[in-house]
Amino acid sequence: MIPALALMFVLGIGNFALHIAVLESDHPLVRQMPSFVHLLGGRFTLVAEYLVLLAAMLLAANGWPELVWAYSFYSALNALSAWLILSRRI
């Protein structure tokens, strides 16, 4: 269980780094987001990212170890979308 939580924590750090990079990229998609997303300088969405990580880690620690795979898949999709946005492919 400890290695699974450690993996989720490392993936969470990566998700936060990608999320911040996208927020600071000044991409047109970021500018088109609703006004509530821009609360606290766009950091409102980081709270949602934290809550996803917290829920996944708590569930994994309490008998849902397969959630590590789901969070890994979520992280892979997050990395793909960040790459698409940061490389201006979309």
Side-chain angles (χ1 to χ4, degrees):
M1 177 176 59
I2 298 296
L5 291 177
L7 175 64
M8 291 177 85
F9 183 74
V10 170
L11 289 172
I13 291 171
N15 285 337
F16 275 101
L18 290 171
H19 198 120
I20 290 170
V22 167
L23 286 175
E24 293 176 353
S25 71
D26 197 38
H27 191 276
L29 286 175
V30 176
R31 288 191 303 254
Q32 292 177 2
M33 295 176 81
S35 62
F36 72 88
V37 172
H38 298 289
L39 289 174
L40 303 172
R43 303 298 186 238
F44 182 75
T45 55
L46 290 174
V47 172
E49 187 76 46
Y50 171 75
L51 292 175
V52 168
L53 175 62
L54 180 65
M57 289 182 75
L58 285 173
L59 287 170
N62 288 303
W64 292 53
E66 60 276 354
L67 208 60
V68 174
W69 292 107
Y71 193 76
S72 298
F73 181 70
Y74 166 77
S75 297
L77 288 178
N78 200 10
L80 176 65
S81 63
W83 175 72
L84 288 170
I85 291 170
L86 295 174
S87 65
R88 304 279 180 173
R89 296 187 189 271
I90 58 170

